[in-house]
Amino acid sequence: MSEMKENVIIGIDLGGTGIKIGIVNAEYEILAQTTIPTHGERPFEQVIADMGLAAKKLLEESGYEVNDCLGIGVGSPGTIDSKNGVVLYSNNIRWDNVPLAEELYKYLAVPIYVNNDANCAALGETVKGAAKGCDSAVFLTLGTGVGGGVVINGRIFEGGHPGGAELGHIRISSEGRKCTCGREDCLEAYASATALIDDARTMVQRFPGSMLWQLCGRDTDLMNAKMPFDAAEAGDPCGQALVERYIQYLADGITDLANIFRPDIIVLGGGICAQGEKLTGPLNRYLNDNCFGASVSYVPKVVTAQNGNGAGIIGAAALVGTALRTAM
Amino acid sequence: MSEMKENVIIGIDLGGTGIKIGIVNAEYEILAQTTIPTHGERPFEQVIADMGLAAKKLLEESGYEVNDCLGIGVGSPGTIDSKNGVVLYSNNIRWDNVPLAEELYKYLAVPIYVNNDANCAALGETVKGAAKGCDSAVFLTLGTGVGGGVVINGRIFEGGHPGGAELGHIRISSEGRKCTCGREDCLEAYASATALIDDARTMVQRFPGSMLWQLCGRDTDLMNAKMPFDAAEAGDPCGQALVERYIQYLADGITDLANIFRPDIIVLGGGICAQGEKLTGPLNRYLNDNCFGASVSYVPKVVTAQNGNGAGIIGAAALVGTALRTAM
């Protein structure tokens, strides 16, 4: 008779360049993890075979059997049919109607749940992170683009059809900035790290006397999203103007989302969140003043994400935990 | 032994000036209705007593007993705690924490459900109307303001806390228009009937040669939201410019909501909807071109509401029908 082992969950963060695989316990602590290259240009069967075999190997090397594993959660970029575990479309891995859950099941015959990676990150922050214990949360990740996820009643809000909750693609201005989605003036075109870096490049070209010019080593290709904040902190007027405007754009988007979802909490992810209170302080002040019916209704607090590098694995694993909880 | 009667539902549409009360059957056909004045300046107990007694009288006069009534649904303006049937705040009737369901139960001891009136209108269109048979819908009412309601999985989407789904209060531009909510540039400030009328007044003051000047009888106080459409139809360039711009604002807001909720259908209510295809044609074209991932994802259709004057009663009654369906 085999020894009783604790149950574990496998969380998989499928990215354009790498696939992160982790094993978590009931407290969503990462017990073991590995990363393999995606090589998304191959047939999807090969990508998923690598994923499945690597997950199985990690499980066994960590001293667990397949029977110890409650299930696998996979966070994937793109538009997902979560009911059937199908990646309908992912520009990132160039997948089109890939039956991810069905294919992965060939390697690990356990319950498999697939959802959008930003949705997973949102859920992950509610099970272990900045929104722990919250029943509802809006999550915005500020990176190359602006991704979003929403949790309502402890579950991922997916809208009526796959492809909902595209929170980065709401219009917040009329300056005419082109968005990657083809439309103009989406939140993503103003509040992504990419947008802030572009703005900083424009600023430094007009005002080469700005401290930003030193910070980026006189090479705008080396500009990053931290530099405007550093310059602002050091009293540079260009840096201050950039940060102030960036936060205003973000505040506009966040207020829209608060008016629509009225969540317990709004969680910001992405590298820019290292700015902490410098970012959340003014955002909370704006929201308290401008959220609809702020004086008579609940106003959510804006905080930064806490799951860091583990966010992808924890968020994906949370799909299984949530399915368990809501099955009862 | 009494004769078996069909079951009915009472739908109540609580407004700032009048309270509409109706009796509907299982097909949401209105069998009888009455309207009484609100006189919201009185203690709420008196307002609700009038409501309860009038509903009971209507029921009896229509040949039904209390036992024939499955329940009462009430659509109320303002922020509602739908779990407890409490009007948390209504600027319209100046109510603050009014236990509407509890108080009304004293007059008619049947299950009572209360929700925001725009939420009810959204639900009403899914049980009998433009979205009949749809599992999800976004409803926008274009009137004095822009109200909104969302149905997901056949139920009203309320967000994490009371006061969510304020769809009129998402920012869509940066022209600096003041919104009634205190913030600038909300959808309501551009896409309400009020906004269109204001724009038409401004237009006619700058271009008194416009046909609009005749249409409003040379008195801008008499301008209404139909006139710009009539002028546009007749070839008036000012009317055409107004209508084109109005539709673009509305299209921007609708595209945001499609990206967030990805519903089966988007339903527009309010007097402006009498424009029908003149309104929905360009909106659908814009949405098909600009909805996120339009080429690979479901794009909802925009249609006009169908419940007309009965919308308030039908929508409120639908609260009871939905509670019945989801109780199983």
Side-chain angles (χ1 to χ4, degrees), chain B residues 2-324:
Chain B
S2 77
E3 188 192 354
M4 284 284 282
K5 292 292 286 289
E6 69 173 337
N7 283 131
V8 291
I9 297 172
I10 297 176
I12 300 180
D13 180 15
L14 171 57
T17 54
I19 302 172
K20 280 191 197 176
I21 304 170
I23 294 171
V24 309
N25 63 12
E27 284 75 42
Y28 293 98
E29 291 162 332
I30 298 175
L31 308 176
Q33 63 176 305
T34 186
T35 302
I36 58 171
T38 307
H39 294 310
E41 68 285 355
R42 296 176 296 165
F44 70 80
E45 292 88 347
Q46 291 181 23
V47 176
I48 299 171
D50 281 1
M51 183 191 291
L53 294 171
K56 199 170 180 184
K57 188 169 163 228
L58 184 68
L59 195 66
E60 288 167 357
E61 285 177 356
S62 309
Y64 295 95
E65 292 168 30
V66 174
N67 284 339
D68 301 319
C69 178
L70 288 171
I72 304 176
V74 187
S76 164
T79 304
I80 313 297
D81 171 358
S82 63
K83 284 200 183 69
N84 299 303
V86 173
V87 178
L88 294 176
Y89 177 74
S90 172
N91 188 44
N92 220 324
I93 341 177
R94 303 194 175 280
W95 275 6
D96 199 356
N97 262 306
V98 169
L100 174 50
E102 186 186 316
E103 196 67 23
L104 187 57
Y105 190 82
K106 294 178 183 169
Y107 304 91
L108 276 161
V110 296
I112 298 174
Y113 300 88
V114 184
N115 214 304
N116 172 273
D117 48 8
N119 286 349
C120 289
L123 189 64
E125 291 289 332
T126 69
V127 299
K128 177 194 177 76
K132 187 166 182 185
C134 290
D135 206 39
S136 59
V138 165
F139 177 83
L140 274 186
T141 171
L142 311 167
T144 311
V146 173
V150 180
V151 174
I152 298 283
N153 295 328
R155 305 181 68 161
I156 290 174
F157 165 81
E158 301 194 74
H161 290 261
E166 279 294 351
L167 309 185
H169 299 280
I170 56 172
R171 181 181 165 95
I172 59 142
S173 186
S174 50
E175 294 173 37
R177 288 198 192 184
K178 198 79 185 166
C179 181
T180 55
C181 76
R183 203 176 162 212
E184 280 179 357
D185 294 314
C186 291
L187 179 59
E188 175 164 306
Y190 296 90
S192 60
T194 310
L196 177 58
I197 293 167
D198 284 348
D199 284 353
R201 286 175 178 150
T202 306
M203 180 70 92
V204 92
Q205 272 152 4
R206 286 186 62 183
F207 300 100
S210 163
M211 184 185 297
L212 280 165
W213 189 228
Q214 271 83 55
L215 285 175
C216 71
R218 296 165 193 272
D219 179 355
T220 56
D221 285 351
L222 300 181
M223 185 76 75
N224 66 38
K226 187 171 175 288
M227 291 172 184
F229 284 94
D230 289 346
E233 180 77 359
D236 178 57
C238 290
Q240 286 170 344
L242 281 168
V243 166
E244 201 173 298
R245 196 170 54 161
Y246 176 80
I247 288 177
Q248 184 56 53
Y249 289 137
L250 190 52
D252 284 327
I254 283 175
T255 307
D256 288 352
L257 297 172
N259 287 347
I260 289 176
F261 289 106
R262 198 66 63 157
D264 282 342
I265 198 163
I266 295 173
V267 184
L268 303 179
I272 286 180
C273 292
Q275 300 300 328
E277 176 66 19
K278 273 188 267 177
L279 194 66
T280 55
L283 290 173
N284 278 308
R285 284 192 289 279
Y286 183 85
L287 195 57
N288 276 316
D289 288 343
N290 290 281
C291 189
F292 185 85
S295 59
V296 291
S297 301
Y298 177 83
V299 178
K301 195 156 189 271
V302 184
V303 300
T304 52
Q306 286 178 3
N307 288 340
N309 289 332
I313 289 169
I314 293 167
L319 294 175
V320 180
T322 304
L324 283 172

Side-chain angles (χ1 to χ4, degrees), chain A residues 200-201 203-205 207-224 226-228 230-231 234-239:
Chain A
R201 286 175 177 150
M203 180 70 94
V204 90
Q205 273 152 4
F207 300 100
S210 163
M211 186 186 296
L212 280 166
W213 189 228
Q214 271 86 52
L215 284 175
C216 71
R218 297 163 191 275
D219 180 355
T220 55
D221 285 353
L222 299 181
M223 186 75 76
N224 66 38
K226 188 172 174 286
M227 290 171 185
D230 289 346
D236 178 58
C238 291

